[in-house]
Amino acid sequence: MATLVLSMNVMAQEAPVLLSEASGRVTLLDRITVVSRTDESALESLASVSQISGEELERRMATNANDIFFGVPGIKVYSDGRPAVSNINIRGLQDAGRVSVIVDGARQNFHKAGHEVSRMFWLDPQLVQQVDVIRGPSANTFGSGAIGGVVYFETKQPDDFLRDDENYALSLTGRYESNGSGWTTSAIGAYRFNEAASVLGNIVWRDYGDYKDGDGSRVDNSGFDVLSGHVKGTIRPTENSELTLGWTGSRDDWSSTATRDYRLDSDTFTGEFKISDAEEKWLNLNIKGAVNSIDLTQTDTGPRPGTSGYDLRTTSFDIWNTSYFDTGMVAHELTVGGDWVYDDFTSNAASGGSDTYNPTGTRRVWGAYVQDKLTYDWLEVVAGLRYDSYELEASDKNSGDRFSPRLSVGVSPFREGVLSGLQFYGSYAEGYRAPNTSEAYITGGHSFPGFSFAFLPNPDLRPETGKTWEAGINYKADGIFDAGDTLRLKAAYFHNDIDDYITIPTFPAIPGSECASLGHSMCAQYQNVYAAEIQGFELEGRYDAGRYFAGLGISVIDGHQTDRDGVRSDLTTIPSASVTLDGGMRFLERRLTLGGEVQFNKAPSGTTFAEDYTLVNLYANYQPNENLRFDFRVDNLFDKRYVLPIVDVSDGMHAQPGLTVKLGATVRFGG
């Protein structure tokens, strides 16, 4: 069961492109990643890191998270026919916090057991300024649980939107999508009070009908409407300090069947305080706090009418300081920090009391870490150690703790010539994921026509431990064929061993057992299998010569799990093999961009329903002046029908959208 992803639009992506009013020239920048706490770009990291810039999001005309990550190696997003919600898969790992999704420091921990998408995460792409992805547990400075990786969304802020000579600005965007007759309207406004204070507000409304798949069949209940908003303000009390306060929220409505409707209300409040001093390099302090409230209402109008509610409030606190100093000829970037996360989950079943599939409970997770990045001429070493502790509490208690190390070594052997930007690196990192309350305390009977079973709790469920080896190269070169071209390349092989991997097998009820006493012949229980093993290869790169651009990326993933009896089986969360090509040209002093993408996908050997498919996309962007922009895009040009292999088909199989034409226009005012 192997996966191959070849992508040409990830590395610097169209990437941070700034249009100079005076000369019309384009400057390409390697932006610092949010997931780096030592001021690194994605290319400079001794880890598999990708970045999606705001310009890339505009070019992609992203509707949801599925569009945001198209072609990014090692990451897949699925919504199972419900575009309003998303689940993120990195390197074959998904669900229950294995991938840490963070918005401006606020963790998105909502998880609901059921046949629908369990993560139910929504963030409108129109609110996003930048997305950073780190694959594997190397980002253990971002908290416990991320054995698959971290996805960090940074929302728009005033300084990203306002130009240097502006005190205020307003932008209006309208878009239409043919498949599902979807409309999007968005407004962004920002005001700069003075050099020390500014604020930005953003509101987005989306209204989409049911889409059609590649066979022309309408996917019932795939329509949705969602209202999203975002406010962020920045205050600089002193020359060396900055306070940022923000709110991001949404009201999301959709249906999963003709008799079941959902409403998801999300409110995230964030605060960040930073203080640094160029003359006092030991002080680079960051403090982040967040409260994230997710309320899901499920209304059934069928044979068993009623309303169920699922509420999660996640409170988090994160603090770290990076000190810069030298010892002899070795430069140090020493980071010391800690974090605390508290999940308070409440469920109310339509029949009364807590939903036994998603029991009411709490989870506390906290940790502390130290990491030092040492640089000596051609040698770079990153060494870190993290301590994690957790406590679950519902009908019983469960707790544990662990130390997790990280070590990365990079070597740059060439000082001159075309190979001067080449770096080899190797790394080893461990991650630690505590079970959630649903996994540990799920109970209740479940039945299908002709088949029934009972869920059994497992309060002794052990945490998962991911141990990842990685070897890779980073390469950066400018002026290869002419003075203005650039090449960026990252490649890595990885091997991830997950001890005590958590899955939910079914097995016959033993006479006299709890299952049998409830009248069921089968049982289901979350259990720790012996191990899971995932390995693969990833490559991503981009060449940009100004007038034209192209890129290349490869990801090969293979994985299996082994039970206590030594029986191996395919992991059902391994995504398709893919090959994506992206390239284009710029005209009219680079105000017009024309391009296209081709992606071939090969289904993993373990799937029973997904097939190979090829997607062809076209896009065009035209910016006649600095305040007006037109966007055009065609997704799935040849109307191919396809199903992602990582989805849950127990409640039906939903193909992805067929041919979709997108039209958009943005107008901007400022002064």
Side-chain angles (χ1 to χ4, degrees):
M1 174 165 31
T3 332
L4 172 69
V5 176
L6 181 61
S7 170
M8 297 184 61
N9 55 0
V10 180
M11 202 45 203
Q13 322 243 348
E14 190 73 358
V17 175
L18 305 178
L19 185 60
S20 167
E21 300 176 20
S23 64
R25 296 182 61 188
V26 174
T27 304
L28 294 177
L29 305 175
D30 293 318
R31 295 179 62 134
I32 301 300
T33 65
V34 179
V35 295
S36 168
R37 291 183 169 172
T38 52
D39 294 333
E40 294 176 324
S41 68
L43 184 72
E44 295 168 334
S45 301
L46 301 182
S48 294
V49 180
S50 297
Q51 184 180 92
I52 302 99
S53 68
E55 175 67 17
E56 179 71 5
L57 294 175
E58 289 294 321
R59 183 174 69 79
R60 191 168 302 287
M61 301 181 71
T63 301
N64 49 38
N66 307 46
D67 298 331
I68 291 176
F69 299 105
F70 178 85
V72 179
I75 181 169
K76 291 289 185 180
V77 181
Y78 75 92
S79 57
D80 203 11
R82 309 290 176 255
V85 293
S86 301
N87 203 346
I88 297 177
N89 177 302
I90 294 182
R91 288 181 172 177
L93 294 174
Q94 64 188 43
D95 298 328
R98 293 184 177 102
V99 174
S100 183
V101 180
I102 304 172
V103 178
D104 288 340
R107 297 172 184 274
Q108 309 299 306
N109 288 351
F110 187 86
H111 178 92
K112 175 184 176 294
H115 295 295
E116 297 87 7
V117 174
S118 61
R119 193 61 179 262
M120 293 194 179
F121 164 73
W122 170 264
L123 178 66
D124 198 288
Q126 285 285 302
L127 308 181
V128 178
Q129 175 64 29
Q130 176 178 312
V131 188
D132 292 332
V133 178
I134 183 166
R135 297 179 282 276
S138 294
N140 53 18
T141 57
F142 275 83
S144 177
I147 62 174
V150 173
V151 178
Y152 196 105
F153 294 87
E154 184 179 21
T155 59
K156 293 176 179 176
Q157 54 188 354
D159 288 345
D160 294 324
F161 184 67
L162 292 169
R163 295 169 183 156
D164 292 340
D165 59 346
E166 290 180 332
N167 290 323
Y168 68 89
L170 174 67
S171 175
L172 302 174
T173 297
R175 289 180 180 172
Y176 172 76
E177 296 187 27
S178 63
N179 197 347
S181 299
W183 289 94
T184 300
T185 55
S186 172
I188 307 173
Y191 186 80
R192 180 180 288 126
F193 299 95
N194 50 49
E195 292 299 322
S198 55
V199 65
L200 176 143
N202 194 353
I203 187 169
V204 186
W205 168 252
R206 295 185 186 269
D207 188 3
Y208 285 71
D210 294 343
Y211 69 76
K212 293 182 180 180
D213 64 20
D215 284 343
S217 300
R218 190 171 301 278
V219 178
D220 293 334
N221 305 300
S222 59
F224 66 97
D225 57 81
V226 55
L227 177 66
S228 301
H230 168 62
V231 177
K232 184 179 285 188
T234 301
I235 303 172
R236 298 177 180 86
T238 67
E239 182 181 354
N240 299 317
S241 63
E242 179 178 283
L243 174 65
T244 301
L245 300 175
W247 166 82
T248 302
S250 64
R251 306 294 179 262
D252 190 356
D253 294 281
W254 76 98
S255 301
S256 64
T257 67
T259 60
R260 176 170 291 178
D261 298 324
Y262 287 100
R263 179 183 175 97
L264 186 69
D265 294 337
S266 171
D267 290 283
T268 300
F269 299 90
T270 60
E272 179 180 10
F273 179 73
K274 299 188 291 186
I275 182 169
S276 62
D277 191 334
E279 297 181 359
E280 301 290 345
K281 294 186 177 181
W282 62 270
L283 179 62
N284 292 275
L285 179 65
N286 291 259
I287 303 173
K288 289 188 177 183
V291 176
N292 186 26
S293 178
I294 304 291
D295 299 331
L296 176 68
T297 302
Q298 174 183 311
T299 303
D300 292 289
T301 59
R304 298 179 179 178
T307 300
S308 303
Y310 306 89
D311 302 329
L312 174 66
R313 174 165 295 199
T314 300
T315 306
S316 60
F317 183 76
D318 192 1
I319 181 171
W320 77 93
N321 183 75
T322 300
S323 300
Y324 299 86
F325 59 94
D326 298 333
T327 56
M329 300 180 67
V330 178
H332 295 261
E333 299 175 46
L334 178 65
T335 303
V336 179
D339 46 71
W340 175 85
V341 181
Y342 178 70
D343 288 332
D344 187 355
F345 182 81
T346 303
S347 66
N348 297 284
S351 57
S354 177
D355 178 359
T356 57
Y357 303 150
N358 297 276
T360 295
T362 62
R363 183 175 73 158
R364 296 176 182 84
V365 179
W366 68 274
Y369 57 87
V370 58
Q371 175 179 286
D372 193 10
K373 177 181 175 182
L374 305 91
T375 304
Y376 168 74
D377 193 21
W378 49 268
L379 177 66
E380 183 177 314
V381 177
V382 179
L385 183 66
R386 178 180 176 85
Y387 171 78
D388 287 300
S389 178
Y390 78 92
E391 181 180 281
L392 301 181
E393 185 172 355
S395 58
D396 204 338
K397 289 187 177 182
N398 186 346
S399 62
D401 61 352
R402 188 179 191 277
F403 285 96
S404 300
R406 177 201 174 182
L407 178 65
S408 301
V409 179
V411 177
S412 303
F414 306 102
R415 311 310 299 170
E416 297 179 354
V418 70
L419 297 179
S420 60
L422 179 63
Q423 181 183 51
F424 300 93
Y425 75 87
S427 70
Y428 175 77
E430 295 185 1
Y432 183 68
R433 185 188 78 86
N436 60 32
T437 53
S438 180
E439 291 173 317
Y441 304 116
I442 187 171
T443 61
H446 197 54
S447 62
F448 296 95
F451 178 74
S452 67
F453 62 90
F455 288 108
L456 297 180
N458 187 358
D460 297 324
L461 200 61
R462 294 182 300 278
E464 297 173 335
T465 302
K467 303 175 181 179
T468 299
W469 293 90
E470 187 169 310
I473 62 170
N474 298 327
Y475 181 64
K476 175 181 179 179
D478 298 329
I480 301 174
F481 300 110
D482 61 56
D485 65 356
T486 62
L487 175 64
R488 303 291 184 265
L489 179 70
K490 286 182 74 75
Y493 169 81
F494 69 91
H495 183 101
N496 190 3
D497 288 314
I498 304 136
D499 295 337
D500 293 320
Y501 184 72
I502 297 174
T503 188
I504 183 166
T506 57
F507 49 90
I510 300 174
S513 67
E514 182 179 355
C515 289
S517 65
L518 294 174
H520 298 280
S521 60
M522 298 293 291
C523 306
Q525 183 184 51
Y526 282 99
Q527 297 179 353
N528 298 101
V529 303
Y530 178 70
E533 185 177 329
I534 304 173
Q535 60 277 327
F537 172 77
E538 297 164 346
L539 181 149
E540 54 180 332
R542 186 171 186 82
Y543 176 76
D544 198 315
R547 179 67 184 273
Y548 54 88
F549 55 90
L552 176 66
I554 301 173
S555 171
V556 181
I557 307 175
D558 179 73
H560 65 271
Q561 65 183 32
T562 305
D563 65 20
R564 294 290 171 182
D565 297 326
V567 178
R568 289 176 45 155
S569 58
D570 292 325
L571 281 176
T572 59
T573 55
I574 297 298
S576 287
S578 325
V579 176
T580 308
L581 304 176
D582 172 29
M585 297 189 68
R586 304 181 181 101
F587 304 91
L588 303 179
E589 296 181 337
R590 302 179 183 179
R591 298 184 183 274
L592 173 64
T593 300
L594 302 177
E597 303 158 342
V598 179
Q599 184 184 82
F600 169 73
N601 295 267
K602 181 173 179 56
S605 59
T607 185
T608 59
F609 55 88
E611 299 178 349
D612 301 350
Y613 63 93
T614 300
L615 299 177
V616 177
N617 307 325
L618 302 175
Y619 58 85
N621 314 116
Y622 177 53
Q623 189 169 344
N625 58 59
E626 61 179 359
N627 293 319
L628 183 62
R629 173 177 174 135
F630 298 99
D631 295 283
F632 171 78
R633 185 175 178 89
V634 180
D635 286 332
N636 198 354
L637 176 66
F638 296 108
D639 214 12
K640 295 295 182 180
R641 184 185 186 278
Y642 65 100
V643 178
L644 301 179
I646 57 178
V647 301
D648 180 2
V649 297
S650 60
D651 203 33
M653 185 168 60
H654 308 286
Q656 299 299 302
L659 172 67
T660 303
V661 178
K662 300 181 180 182
L663 302 172
T666 300
V667 61
R668 189 182 190 281
F669 310 91

